Every structure is written in structure tokens, then in C-alpha cells.
Amino acid sequence: MNTHGIGASVARKEDRRFTTGGGRYVADLVPAGALRAVFLRSPHAHAGVSVSDVSAALASPGVVAVLTGADMAADGLGVLPTQWSIPEPDGTAMFIPPYPGLVADTVRFVGNAYAMVIATSDAAARDAAELVDVDFEERPAAATLAQAAAPDAPAVWPQKPDNTSLWWTNGDKAATQAAFARADHVVTLDLVNNRLAPSPVEPRIAMGRYDTGRDHMTLVTSSQCPDEVQAMLARAVFGVPETRLDVIAPDVGGGFGAKAYLYPEEVAVLWAARRLKRDVVWQGDRSEAFLADTHARDHITHARLALDAGGRFLALHVATKANMGAYLSQHAPAVPTVYSTYVLPGPYAFGAVYAEIRNVFSHSAPLDAYRGAGRSEGVYVTERIIDEAARQLKIDPADLRARNLVPAGAMPYVTATGSRLDSGDPPALLDKVCDLADRAGFAGRREEARRQGRLRGFGIAMYAANCGGCASPDNSGVGALGGNWESARLRLHPTGKATLYLGTHNHGQGHETVFSQIVSEMTGLPFGDIDVVFGSTANVQRGIGTFASRSAVVAGPAAMLATGKIIAKGRLIAAHLLEAAAVDVEFAGGSYRIAGTDRAVTLAEVAMAAYVPHNYPHETLEPGLDETGFFDPSDFTWPIGAHAAEVEIDPETGHVRLVSYAAADDLGVVINPMIVAGQLHGGITQGAGQALWEQVSYDSESGQLLTGSFMDYGMPRSDLMPSMVLEQIASRASTNPLGAKGAGEAGTFAAPAAVMNAVMDALSRAGVTHLDMPATPDRVWHALKAATR
């Protein structure tokens, strides 16, 4: 067995440099003498804006330039593109508003950038920014989703007076209506999926560079998707060939989806660098992150569940209003529509499902994908209404789920929304999580809590969620580069060492480790002899990027294909060296051997021959061992899981303590169990954060952001999380040769619903019938007080 191959819990090789200060982030690459940019941002949620005088700012010490939205428009720059243009059911094109790097005349959310000051230092730029004369004409605003979706709300865009960006439906309306008509029970539930700030540890930073001699631009930025950003900048914004624009993304300190897009600041610093022929860098701070990074979630949903007399799910109807913010960020239109609705059936045998989605503009920062994008929201709706049905029908929540789960023998199974669950055993996962969480002993723990004056609750949530893509299950979605493929290039050097170039990017997932494991497994090369390179459009073949749990399931097979080509070519070289027919040469453990003999050459010896070809089959092979693999999956992967949370509530304070958490997941073939466990820990923590602490809030009157720092925005901390019990029941994915299903988002799929189901299980004993996330002490305390009146 290869102790560093697939399935081994190898310590992450990249952690040594990270923990010893050796990481190379964008801030580490800024040269001395680079100019610093500071953005002027709107203090109003909606206003006309005009920069009337910049002379005082230009005269300020150290200032090099003051650039405005009008300047950018005059230079003819294009706007940030939206990668999803989803038609309405009648074929009407979706309205896509212009999204410039700097706005020229109207600001549409607090934090919207309209100008930038560029100086020799950050302090000089900030001082000068206060000297820019700006005129604002304040206008009515609708900063919250509820306000923006209401009749007669102030319009964000005059072309859409009702603020509707897109009406979209999925499922069978007629079948769903018929099922409700014959249902024995109908359960309804109104839910809010609260707005979140992704909050990676490294705030966004971007540096623009311009090479006058080559007429070439380079953006160095903290990005999950450098190739996508390059394509959008070159094609949509600057109108130049990709050969004249590169994007470099070095080490990235977390992303969670928020760094998967092109941002206005990246456009602005690159434009400024070209104008000034100087390096220009903007380093965002945490306040700017809260103001101007994409937010996430923010849905209002009305759900109905139809059941027969035996508790079988006949149909699910979901009507959701989803906040887009003031502009359409790149994936935003797809998150509540394509991403969310296809997972609504989960691992259950629903007879019919119908979803109606209204994407709504508001005077707030744009929203987009965040870890678990759309899938987490869809799972939350289904799992919360199942628990509500169990309460109303007085059926055990686990039993109600068990009655409706798709059995292993029915796989592959096509759900009511057309998704294909290719493998898995949902009933076994449910049984396993109940064992892991000691559900049988919960009644005793609840009674002990009652004697201590506390409320105890137990919650379950299951999911079957699509991973591995940037398209819809019918492949209708397109990104800047199109499709859902990924690439990998493996170069075997003359010394026998290897370099793997990846189109995906690492921002905490352990790519340098897991992809080395794949290559080591296939080639027998020592784990430490394999380097992994990513993050530069100048050095890496084209890829798409890292999001949607796609790296292992799409880039992993691409790496396997490239490695397979190396091994196949190496066999021909080895056959020549061994003076044997290629069909008689076997490869195993890093060596080529003539079958049935002890005559062999190592892969390293073959590599030397490939690059020093004095004894080489020139007539049939070109020198070198350097191969590229592209993998385009036929369908999504579908990880499936069952999670259970247990909480204890102090009714005197409303404080909710998450006391235990267990998860049973089917993630397919696992490359590195230790890294997958870490991914689950992180995802569960983020999901619990949404359920209990996190909430982006805007003032309904002024449109001001009320949660602009970690003093106002609650984050999960390590001391708030329990130890987690994790196990897996794996089945191979059939849609990729690696058999992996994706693990990065699994925790966020189930955790919000599992935790909130536990909270409601506890609160329902005290008469509380409804509570929305986050279950903060204030909300819980008021709900308990209201229930006792």
C-alpha cells in the first residue's frame, strides 16, 4: 500500500510554510514604491452623485491621481459581466444592469465606490479622500429584501420598477397542485434564510501592474478563480486578448465563495495602473469587507408540504423571494434558482416538487454564492418543513424521514426535479447518525436538563446536494469560460521529480497535499517529489477555478488523465530501453517491468531517457514527459448525508449552547480522510454560525449597514463548538473515475437545518411555534416570553 496515496491521512504539506510565516499572499508581493489606492464609497443607500472638485485632494502631499466614475466611463471600459443569463419561463431575457468598476452618476448601496484616490501611501490617500468635494442627491431606498419586494417600493433600476430581476420556476406545477388537492395533510411554514458576510481571514486585496513595452496588464489578486477573472477582464471590461492580460493569485487566506468573482476594485486598480504606468494596490480592511464584499443567502420563503394519511410525502411547493442586492454579481442569479431548487427533494421520494423564485434587486451590497451556495438554502427549507410536519402530525422526525427516503436499491434515482442521485444508502446514513448521536439516550438527557431548569432539543437534517459544477443539471449554465471541465498538466522532470499544474486554486482545501497523493498513488513517486502549482494564468494551462466542491471531483480526474498519459508514454520508452514489446511491459510501484522477469527500469530512469534521448525511440515518440488532461463530467456528483445536533437553552437568558454534533456522510472515495474531517468541521461550524450567531443587517429607514464589524456581527468561535463525531458510509460516484463526490460544502448543507431543528425541538416544549435564524439569546428570550403571555 502507498502510505501517501489515495485514502491515506497524510499531514498537509503546505501547512509548514503557512505556520512558519512562509506563505506568499498578495500583500507579500507588493513592491516598494507601489502606489496605494483608497476608494470613496457612498454614505447613502441611493443617491445621485457628482464629484465636483478634486483640486484640493490632488494638491495633498503624496497624491498622484484622483480618478472618478466619469473618468472610467470616458476611457470606454466595459462593465463587470454576469456569468448567468437565465431566461424567464416565457423566454423573456433576464435584466442585467450595468455594473461598473466606479459608478459615474448614481450610487445604489452604502459602500458603492464612485472614485479613488491614488497616493504614495495609504495614509496620504485616506487623508486626501476627505478633501474631495462630492455632491449627493439623496433618493428613497429599499435596503432590505422585505422592503424591496413590497409593492410600490423605491426602484433600484428604473427599467425594473417592481425590483424583480428574474421570475423563475422549476418542477411540475400541475402534478404538485394535484397532489395537494388529494393530500390528507398540508403543512405550511414561512422561513427566513438570514443574510451572511463570508468573512475570510484575509480581506480582499488587488494590485494592478502595467508593462509599457509589452502593452500588458497583470492583476495580482486574492482570487479563487484566476482564469475566470482573466477572461472577464480581457473580454468584457478591457476588450483585449487574454495574451495581453494575466491574473496571478498566490496563496489565498480563505474564500468561501466570496473570492470567486470579479470585483469593481480589481477593475479599478488595473485600469489605474494602465493609466499611470505604475503599480497600484488596494488593500481592503474589514470594514470595507462588510460594506462591499458580496454577501450571501437572504431569502424569504413560503413552503407547503403535502402528505398522505401514512405520512408519505406527496408534494413540496416552495415560493422564495431572494435578494440580489443592487447589482448582479457573477453567479447571483443562479444561487436561489438553479443551485437551490434542484436539491429541494433531497434524498426523499417526493411525488412532485414545484418551486417559484423571484430574484429581487435592493439598495444593498450585491449577494452571491457562499459555501453551500443555494444547496444550503434548499436543504434548509425541506428539512425545516419536515420537522414541522413531524410536530404537527405527532410523528417522530427520524421515523417520518425514514418512511420517505430513497432506498439504496433504488439508486440511481431521478428526483422530482430531474436530478439523478447515482449512488448511496440514505436509510443507512440516517440510522448511523442516530447511533452516533446516541438518540436513544436523548430522553434521559432532556429530563436531566429539565430538572436543571433548561430546555434540551435534538435536531436531524439530511441532504442530497449536487457538487462539482458551475452549470445546471441540464448543463444550461455557462461561466466566463463555459462548461464544467477542469484541467491538469503533469510534467515529469529528468531527475524523476514531478510538477502538477492545476486549473483549480487552493485557499485552504489542501490541494498541494491531495493532488500529490493522486499522482503518488498512480506513479509510485515519493509524495515529497511532487510539486503542485496553481494560481497564475501566465504559468498554468487554462482552468475554471475552485468552488462548488469541484476540485477533487473535476480536477482530480483531470490529474488522473494527465498522469495516465505520462505512464502510457513512459511504457513505450521503457519498452525501448528494455528491448521488449510494449504489450509485455507492466507498470507498478514506480517501475516498468517485463512481465514474468526481473528486468525493469524505474520511472525516474525513463524520465531521464525522455529528456536525454541518446537511447530513445525517436521514430515513434517526441522527447519529454509532459502531458495535459481535461475532464468534463457527464453530470454532477451527489454527496448524501445525515446530521444531528443537540442544543441546550437557558430560558432565563435565551442563551443556546450547541452541546453535541454528529454527522454521517457519503462523500464517495476520500483522498485524505484527515483533510475531509477538517472540511466537515469547518463547514459544520459555518452552518452553525448561520443558525446561531451570524446576521448582516441594514437599517430599514436609512439603508445604513448596522453590522460593519465583528463587534456587531456574531461569528462562531472554537469555544462555542462541541467536539464532533463524524463517520462515513461511502459509495463510489459514477460520474468521475476517481469516485469522489465532494466534501468542502457538506457541513454547510445540513448544519443550519440540524441546529435550528434542535432549537425548535427545545423551544416547542415551552410553547414557541416559530423562530428564524439566527437563534440569538435576544430572539430566543423574546420568543419564550411571548409564548408564556
Side-chain angles (χ1 to χ4, degrees):
M1 175 185 174
N2 186 340
T3 57
H4 290 81
I6 294 173
S9 289
V10 182
R12 300 198 330 175
K13 63 164 64 175
E14 52 265 66
D15 284 354
R16 178 174 178 83
R17 77 169 188 275
F18 291 148
T19 56
T20 58
R24 298 285 286 171
Y25 300 88
V26 176
D28 298 311
L29 304 181
V30 176
L35 299 177
R36 297 283 175 163
V38 166
F39 287 93
L40 281 74
R41 301 186 182 276
S42 172
H44 304 293
H46 191 200
V49 61
S50 175
V51 178
S52 54
D53 189 358
V54 300
S55 58
L58 282 171
S60 186
V63 172
V64 175
V66 179
L67 301 175
T68 68
D71 296 326
M72 183 175 283
D75 272 7
L77 260 66
V79 296
L80 283 71
T82 296
Q83 291 177 279
W84 288 76
S85 182
I86 303 172
E88 298 199 1
D90 64 358
T92 302
M94 182 180 75
F95 171 65
I96 303 175
Y99 189 7
L102 295 172
V103 300
D105 53 13
T106 304
V107 288
R108 289 180 165 85
F109 68 93
V110 173
N112 206 173
Y114 58 87
M116 62 192 300
V117 176
I118 302 167
T120 53
S121 71
D122 185 77
R126 290 182 184 276
D127 288 344
E130 297 181 4
L131 303 177
V132 176
D133 284 341
V134 187
D135 298 319
F136 290 103
E137 179 193 346
E138 196 168 358
R139 299 169 185 170
T144 70
L145 175 57
Q147 287 177 310
D152 301 321
V156 180
W157 295 96
Q159 301 93 326
K160 286 289 182 178
D162 67 349
N163 288 327
T164 298
S165 168
L166 172 70
W167 283 101
W168 196 82
T169 63
N170 191 8
D172 190 328
K173 183 177 183 179
T176 301
Q177 290 175 333
F180 273 94
R182 68 175 185 272
D184 293 283
H185 305 285
V186 173
V187 177
T188 63
L189 187 62
D190 291 307
L191 295 165
V192 172
N193 210 290
N194 41 319
R195 187 173 183 135
L196 304 179
S199 305
V201 67
E202 178 201 29
R204 288 191 297 115
I205 177 172
M207 176 171 63
R209 317 191 82 168
Y210 181 66
D211 184 329
T212 306
R214 296 172 58 214
D215 187 22
H216 186 275
M217 292 175 281
T218 300
L219 175 70
V220 187
T221 187
S222 181
S223 174
Q224 300 171 216
C225 304
D227 284 287
E228 289 269 285
V229 170
Q230 180 206 37
M232 288 185 283
L233 283 169
R235 300 175 194 178
V237 179
F238 288 97
V240 300
E242 284 95 330
T243 53
R244 286 174 50 196
L245 193 157
D246 278 311
V247 174
I248 297 172
D251 290 329
V252 172
F256 311 123
K259 294 179 182 175
Y261 326 116
L262 174 63
Y263 279 94
E265 295 88 354
E266 293 168 320
V267 171
V269 296
L270 195 54
W271 167 65
R274 188 176 69 171
R275 278 183 64 119
L276 302 175
K277 299 177 174 56
R278 297 275 300 274
D279 291 349
V280 177
V281 61
W282 165 74
Q283 189 162 359
D285 58 27
R286 189 60 64 183
S287 293
E288 285 182 291
F290 277 108
L291 279 173
D293 284 9
T294 57
H295 294 161
R297 313 295 198 235
D298 204 359
H299 296 181
I300 298 172
T301 295
H302 177 70
R304 297 188 301 143
L305 176 62
L307 305 94
D308 68 12
R312 299 284 182 176
F313 299 159
L314 300 178
L316 177 66
H317 175 231
V318 172
T320 292
K321 301 181 186 75
N323 203 341
M324 296 288 102
Y327 303 91
L328 293 181
S329 183
Q330 273 97 65
H331 292 267
V335 172
T337 54
V338 172
Y339 285 11
S340 187
T341 61
Y342 280 100
V343 307
L344 285 171
Y348 307 105
F350 278 97
V353 172
Y354 183 64
E356 304 172 84
I357 311 299
R358 179 188 173 194
N359 288 355
V360 179
F361 289 117
S362 67
H363 291 104
S364 66
L367 293 93
D368 209 315
Y370 165 70
R371 193 176 193 174
R375 284 76 49 82
S376 178
E377 295 95 308
V379 170
Y380 185 72
V381 171
T382 302
E383 293 300 315
R384 290 281 281 110
I385 201 167
I386 289 174
D387 254 39
E388 181 64 23
R391 244 185 309 276
Q392 291 188 21
L393 274 58
K394 296 181 172 53
I395 301 174
D396 177 88
D399 180 47
L400 183 58
R401 288 174 169 84
R403 296 181 195 185
N404 290 280
L405 286 172
V406 177
M411 300 291 185
Y413 179 84
V414 178
T415 73
T417 52
S419 300
R420 182 178 179 272
L421 311 184
D422 64 315
S423 65
D425 190 344
L429 291 166
L430 178 59
D431 290 343
K432 173 59 71 174
V433 82
C434 288
D435 289 342
L436 294 175
D438 185 23
R439 191 164 186 268
F442 173 69
R445 297 191 296 276
R446 168 173 269 169
E447 176 57 25
E448 177 60 26
R450 187 195 65 78
R451 287 196 293 268
Q452 297 176 9
R454 300 178 186 275
L455 302 170
R456 193 126 175 158
F458 189 96
I460 296 172
M462 298 190 69
Y463 70 88
N466 56 307
C467 287
C470 62
S472 62
D474 61 2
N475 289 317
S476 63
V478 292
L481 299 176
N484 186 32
W485 53 270
E486 198 48 77
S487 69
R489 176 188 176 195
L490 182 64
R491 177 185 295 168
L492 201 63
H493 302 284
T495 56
K497 314 297 184 184
T499 302
L500 179 67
Y501 299 88
L502 290 175
T504 55
H505 198 288
N506 176 46
H507 49 280
Q509 294 88 345
H511 284 189
E512 294 173 52
T513 301
V514 297
F515 285 98
S516 293
Q517 289 181 253
I518 292 173
V519 174
S520 179
E521 174 81 14
M522 294 183 66
T523 63
L525 291 173
F527 174 77
D529 288 353
I530 303 161
D531 288 334
V532 178
V533 176
F534 46 81
S536 170
T537 61
N539 298 323
V540 176
Q541 76 291 337
R542 188 163 298 282
I544 290 182
T546 297
F547 51 88
S549 303
R550 69 188 303 271
S551 293
V553 303
V554 187
M560 294 174 70
L561 289 171
T563 305
K565 292 179 181 180
I566 290 284
I567 293 170
K569 184 175 181 180
R571 177 177 283 107
L572 300 177
I573 301 170
H576 177 83
L577 296 175
L578 294 168
E579 298 179 330
V583 294
D584 294 329
V585 176
E586 302 172 335
F587 180 76
S591 294
Y592 293 94
R593 183 181 308 276
I594 300 175
T597 76
D598 60 356
R599 294 185 59 206
V601 291
T602 66
L603 183 56
E605 291 171 322
V606 167
M608 180 62 74
Y611 289 98
V612 187
H614 63 276
N615 181 18
Y616 192 81
H618 290 281
E619 64 281 1
T620 56
L621 289 179
E622 293 181 351
L625 277 178
D626 192 334
E627 300 289 343
T628 300
F630 284 80
F631 180 69
D632 191 359
S634 60
D635 200 351
F636 286 95
T637 59
W638 287 87
I640 304 173
H643 290 209
E646 196 167 324
V647 301
E648 193 168 271
I649 299 174
D650 181 351
E652 295 300 316
T653 64
H655 179 261
V656 179
R657 184 168 68 94
L658 182 59
V659 295
S660 68
Y661 198 98
D665 297 281
D666 179 356
L667 306 174
V669 172
V670 170
I671 302 169
N672 187 312
M674 182 169 62
I675 288 178
V676 166
Q679 290 278 33
L680 287 168
H681 286 155
I684 290 165
T685 300
Q686 287 185 259
Q690 176 176 15
L692 298 177
W693 302 291
E694 300 186 47
Q695 171 82 51
V696 171
S697 297
Y698 285 89
D699 182 73
S700 59
E701 293 185 6
S702 66
Q704 293 295 320
L705 181 68
L706 301 177
T707 49
S709 76
F710 288 135
M711 294 295 289
D712 309 300
Y713 184 88
M715 288 282 281
R717 304 191 306 269
S718 59
D719 63 333
L720 298 176
M721 295 299 296
S723 295
M724 302 174 199
V725 182
L726 311 175
E727 284 196 21
Q728 294 175 36
I729 301 175
S731 64
R732 287 187 66 90
S734 64
T735 53
N736 67 80
L738 184 57
K741 294 188 176 183
E745 298 169 294
T748 50
F749 293 151
V755 173
M756 283 305 296
N757 281 341
V759 169
M760 286 307 304
D761 182 48
L763 292 179
S764 64
R765 296 300 181 102
V768 176
T769 58
H770 184 73
L771 188 75
D772 279 315
M773 297 186 289
T776 61
D778 178 70
R779 285 187 174 191
V780 171
W781 187 86
H782 278 95
L784 287 167
K785 292 301 178 185
T788 58
R789 284 201 289 267

